[in-house]
Amino acid sequence: MSVLLQTGKLYLLRKPFSKSCSKYIFHRKKSDVPRKFISFDEIVAQRRAEARQSLVVQVNSESSFNELHGYCSKYATINDIHHYKNSAGEHFMLIEFSSEENLNNVLQSCSSHKKEIDVMGVQSPFLWFRATSVKEKYAQNVTHLAVKDGSLSVNEDVLFEELMNCSSVSEQIQMLYDRTVLNDIGVRLRYMVARQLETVFSSLYANIKVQPFGSSVNGFGKMGCDLDLVLTNTLTDDLTSQKNRLVYQEKKSEGGRSPWQRHMELVGALLELRVPGATRVQKILNARVPIVKYSHDLADVDCDLCCNNTSGVYMSELLWQLGALDARVRPLAGAVRRWARAAALTNAHPGRWLTNFPLTLLVLFFLQQPASGPVLPPLRRLVELAGKEDTRVAEENLNCTFLRDLNKLPTESYSQNTDDLQTLLFKFFEFYSQFEFQDKAISINEGRPVRKPNSLPLYVVNPLEPALNVSRNVSYEECERLRLEVRNAAWHLESCLDGHKSDDWGILGLIEQKASRGLKKLLRVGNSHRLVSMKDLFNDNDELEPSAQGIRSKLEKFKKTEKLTEASDVTRGDKKSEMKFKNSQSAREVYRIRRNKLI
Ligand code: CTP
Ligand code: MG
């Protein structure tokens, strides 16, 4: 720990990785050379080890903790237990044991299944804790749950209130990041889902490895983000060496379709039939990279599984590294991603618009600009400094070699700028409002605009495959909207500089969805930031949706009644009315606010 304090890089111990990092640090010897940065491979190794010695157990409620702890302690030593609920309100405990052997002792004690003949048991790290009428006595438990309700996302209305109360836009950006970043249990669960596939598929595929990539591990993920998974095998030089004379017989794929399509088809069928928690399996086999989408109901995460796409993992490593170099990178990218979603520039579904990945490259590229001292180096610099140990080659001979140990990066090549987050966000919008999208491409390899090789509206060079454009799907209209929205955002932030805190002050005006922004404004009374309760506007037993014109008159009525209430403490009368919204989005928003009993 002291190593980090001395170097001032304590921010590396931020929530998502804090526990595993600190474990790693405590394992280091005093004589070790001080290091500022921990590598992505070390973090991943730690997370995978954690998953190998963990189980997820469904329980009745968080008060099952003592019984579960007592029961498991009969077989093994427990490191800690984390509690969470899925969106169906079911309770789970993620238990980390002190070693993998320890966990195997517990698994050997696992009874199989109900006696129904149509259920075939399967080994996986997801279990359930059976209730019993025979009460056992367990040793006195002095430990507590490490986390309760760990996967609960922050309530949006609470978040907005907190953002409203911040004293600067920089504080808002940092708070938005801290409140929404994917937390420790979110990361643990994602590695458990990967571990489950390794366990279930291991007898079908030798040396199988299932790795999370994308926003779950690249440091830019938020609570509830999707889980991208890649299925590979871990063929090391040792395994392929001529010295190993006994070699597994192999099964060659026969038939017309590509082997990967057939494997993914099988994997899809196995997910449906053999993987507890996996539901809504969808096979997309004709894509360039065939994928299987599914939802994991027990871990409460949506997954995209593909085969042999290791470049995705190296890309995540690259993004993770650039995010680790400077403490402002991830909060800034978080604010930009959130703004883009609110402005409908990005969308969860694929189409003619931007997605989070190229948008994140836009942020990294901006931070490489030398204008007021670069925050990040160009990728070219990391490639120049790479040693033999950094050599990585992905599928189709893709060279993914770049410096892995950031401690070797000269300090003058990053963080050469002292702008606060507010200034950086404003400059980001300003930079792209002046960017020559018609002629220039965005390349984090070079860290400066390069000539566009074709006339596609938006060109963002794929850092690991520079001949490809990661935003080739973006239409001319969407690119124009991007230019318009960055100008609007710059204008909005500039108008906040006078220090006056209006209702959409700072990033609130950027991250609130436009549809709800108007409605929320309408519901705000006078200059107070308190919103009118929807309960005050509608009766609980209103069955029909309220009408658009009606809401204004109701609001007027409310204002009058509120004055009366203040003056004479007369209780309001609740009159039933029938109202209808013309716009279903507004209606949904009204009902959402109403349901949450906001305000
Ligand atoms: N990726 C890539 N090349 C692309 C698109 C994606 O290498 N053209 C890799 C990146 O590593 C990316 C990951 O695939 O992070 C997953 O892509 P996606 O799910 O679209 O982006 P995320 O970064 O995971 O963001 P989100 O939170 O929106 O899922
Ligand atoms: Mg993703």
Side-chain angles (χ1 to χ4, degrees):
M1 179 73 85
S2 60
V3 170
L4 291 174
L5 285 173
Q6 279 161 21
T7 56
K9 296 285 174 185
L10 192 65
Y11 62 80
L12 269 178
L13 291 179
R14 276 249 164 70
K15 281 175 212 159
F17 297 113
S18 59
K19 202 144 188 210
S20 51
C21 288
S22 54
K23 257 190 227 169
Y24 168 77
I25 288 151
F26 288 128
H27 289 167
R28 282 164 47 79
K29 287 191 239 102
K30 272 197 172 157
S31 55
D32 289 351
V33 185
R35 296 195 309 159
K36 283 184 191 174
F37 300 107
I38 295 163
S39 77
F40 180 76
D41 280 349
E42 286 164 325
I43 297 281
V44 171
Q46 181 65 50
R47 286 296 188 186
R48 284 175 58 80
E50 219 170 65
R52 281 197 304 274
Q53 58 197 61
S54 300
L55 292 173
V56 177
V57 184
Q58 186 170 3
V59 291
N60 194 30
S61 73
E62 70 257 26
S63 49
S64 311
F65 168 69
N66 279 330
E67 216 174 327
L68 182 68
H69 189 283
Y71 179 82
C72 292
S73 302
K74 286 197 307 187
Y75 301 96
T77 316
I78 293 171
N79 277 354
D80 44 35
I81 302 189
H82 308 247
H83 164 265
Y84 74 92
K85 280 195 273 180
N86 64 3
S87 43
E90 294 163 327
H91 294 254
F92 298 84
M93 302 279 182
L94 191 156
I95 315 175
E96 188 191 327
F97 294 94
S98 63
S99 70
E100 218 177 319
E101 295 73 52
N102 245 311
L103 175 133
N104 289 334
N105 291 339
V106 182
L107 285 182
Q108 270 162 22
S109 83
C110 246
S111 92
S112 50
H113 335 283
K114 300 172 205 162
K115 280 201 180 132
E116 285 122 44
I117 37 162
D118 59 342
V119 177
M120 303 278 283
V122 62
Q123 269 210 13
S124 118
F126 286 83
L127 313 169
W128 60 279
F129 194 40
R130 200 198 313 254
T132 171
S133 49
V134 193
K135 287 280 166 213
E136 270 189 79
K137 280 225 154 135
Y138 301 115
Q140 188 69 32
N141 178 16
V142 286
T143 56
H144 299 280
L145 271 175
V147 175
K148 187 176 160 239
D149 232 343
S151 49
L152 193 69
S153 296
V154 62
N155 177 295
E156 285 282 292
D157 302 314
V158 171
L159 175 66
F160 275 58
E161 200 65 44
E162 286 177 341
L163 294 175
M164 183 72 85
N165 293 331
C166 284
S167 56
S168 67
V169 178
S170 296
E171 194 184 326
Q172 283 186 323
I173 298 170
Q174 189 65 49
M175 175 166 294
L176 178 70
Y177 174 74
D178 291 340
R179 293 277 188 272
T180 55
V181 67
L182 183 64
N183 67 6
D184 177 62
I185 191 149
V187 179
R188 280 174 185 266
L189 277 173
R190 282 160 174 75
Y191 276 89
M192 290 307 293
V193 170
R195 175 73 190 146
Q196 182 188 38
L197 296 188
E198 282 180 355
T199 314
V200 176
F201 298 159
S202 57
S203 63
L204 293 173
Y205 295 95
N207 309 310
I208 187 181
K209 190 170 181 188
V210 179
Q211 286 169 279
F213 69 105
S215 57
S216 294
V217 295
N218 67 15
F220 295 97
K222 62 178 183 56
M223 290 296 284
C225 67
D226 290 358
L227 170 59
D228 301 290
L229 290 166
V230 56
L231 194 150
T232 53
N233 55 23
T234 48
L235 283 184
T236 56
D237 288 345
D238 280 354
L239 286 171
T240 50
S241 148
Q242 293 281 324
K243 281 186 294 178
N244 299 337
R245 305 244 347 245
L246 290 175
V247 182
Y248 290 118
Q249 292 279 0
E250 280 152 18
K251 174 81 190 162
K252 290 220 168 62
S253 172
E254 288 160 10
R257 309 182 82 179
S258 88
W260 298 125
Q261 282 176 325
R262 299 200 66 195
H263 284 301
M264 290 312 281
E265 199 168 8
L266 171 67
V267 161
L270 288 168
L271 280 163
E272 275 167 341
L273 210 59
R274 303 304 294 143
V275 179
T279 55
R280 296 182 284 283
V281 178
Q282 241 184 305
K283 294 169 234 172
I284 303 164
L285 303 176
N286 291 324
R288 193 174 66 93
V289 179
I291 60 166
V292 177
K293 288 176 154 307
Y294 70 101
S295 300
H296 201 295
D297 284 355
L298 306 178
D300 218 11
V301 60
D302 291 327
C303 311
D304 282 358
L305 174 66
C306 61
C307 238
N308 266 6
N309 176 29
T310 35
S311 64
V313 180
Y314 295 136
M315 188 77 83
S316 306
E317 181 173 21
L318 176 63
L319 262 54
W320 189 88
Q321 286 200 317
L322 294 174
L325 267 180
D326 188 289
R328 294 165 292 178
V329 179
R330 290 170 185 160
L332 183 72
V336 170
R337 285 165 79 129
R338 185 69 194 243
W339 155 78
R341 203 187 70 195
L345 287 169
T346 52
N347 189 309
H349 306 286
R352 292 155 69 83
W353 38 80
L354 261 180
T355 59
N356 278 329
F357 172 59
L359 184 67
T360 308
L361 294 182
L362 253 61
V363 176
L364 300 176
F365 179 72
F366 156 72
L367 291 171
Q368 294 170 327
Q369 301 313 302
S372 46
V375 177
L376 295 175
L379 172 57
R380 188 172 35 78
R381 188 87 186 100
L382 299 186
V383 174
E384 285 162 5
L385 291 168
K388 211 173 150 222
E389 65 288 0
D390 299 312
T391 307
R392 307 282 190 281
V393 180
E395 61 288 336
E396 292 169 21
N397 270 337
L398 208 60
N399 189 352
C400 300
T401 302
F402 51 86
L403 180 72
R404 264 49 194 199
D405 183 358
L406 294 175
N407 298 296
K408 293 182 184 161
L409 189 65
T411 44
E412 62 276 10
S413 45
Y414 60 94
S415 296
Q416 297 301 304
N417 160 313
T418 51
D419 285 343
D420 59 13
L421 283 167
Q422 164 172 355
T423 313
L424 285 178
L425 185 62
F426 174 72
K427 285 186 177 174
F428 169 85
F429 292 129
E430 199 184 39
F431 176 75
Y432 283 108
S433 59
Q434 289 160 12
F435 192 82
E436 292 169 31
F437 287 100
Q438 315 84 291
D439 305 317
K440 300 288 184 206
I442 285 131
S443 160
I444 71 158
N445 306 52
E446 296 303 321
R448 58 177 175 79
V450 295
R451 186 191 286 273
K452 246 167 61 167
N454 59 32
S455 59
L456 282 169
L458 181 64
Y459 204 105
V460 182
V461 174
N462 183 327
L464 298 180
E465 228 175 330
L468 298 183
N469 172 10
V470 298
S471 58
R472 64 184 173 282
N473 60 312
V474 176
S475 68
Y476 176 77
E477 291 76 22
E478 287 299 314
C479 187
E480 280 304 298
R481 265 184 9 85
L482 171 68
R483 297 167 60 143
L484 183 80
E485 291 292 350
V486 287
R487 248 176 281 147
N488 285 343
W491 178 84
H492 170 79
L493 280 184
E494 199 163 28
S495 69
C496 295
L497 291 180
D498 61 7
H500 173 70
K501 281 193 179 183
S502 60
D503 284 345
D504 56 359
W505 172 73
I507 63 164
L508 281 167
L510 301 179
I511 65 168
E512 213 171 354
Q513 292 202 348
K514 278 188 179 155
S516 58
R517 206 184 296 165
L519 186 72
K520 281 194 176 172
K521 254 189 184 160
L522 180 69
L523 297 175
R524 280 175 187 132
V525 179
N527 287 329
S528 105
H529 292 142
R530 195 174 73 87
L531 293 166
V532 178
S533 167
M534 297 310 298
K535 242 180 136 14
D536 297 323
L537 295 175
F538 307 107
N539 294 328
D540 263 348
N541 53 359
D542 278 350
E543 274 169 19
L544 291 168
E545 294 178 348
S547 81
Q549 327 96 313
I551 191 165
R552 279 185 193 277
S553 63
K554 279 263 177 184
L555 187 66
E556 284 308 313
K557 218 185 267 176
F558 172 79
K559 280 187 190 166
K560 280 183 205 151
T561 324
E562 199 188 41
K563 274 185 201 147
L564 271 176
T565 312
E566 276 167 15
S568 59
D569 202 23
V570 177
T571 39
R572 281 193 301 277
D574 282 329
K575 269 200 159 180
K576 188 171 177 169
S577 72
E578 293 182 356
M579 301 161 79
K580 248 193 168 33
F581 271 108
K582 280 188 189 138
N583 177 335
S584 64
Q585 207 169 2
S586 312
R588 268 202 307 279
E589 187 61 24
V590 166
Y591 282 113
R592 188 184 68 78
I593 298 173
R594 183 184 191 188
R595 195 180 54 238
N596 294 345
K597 299 274 187 294
L598 203 197
I599 316 154

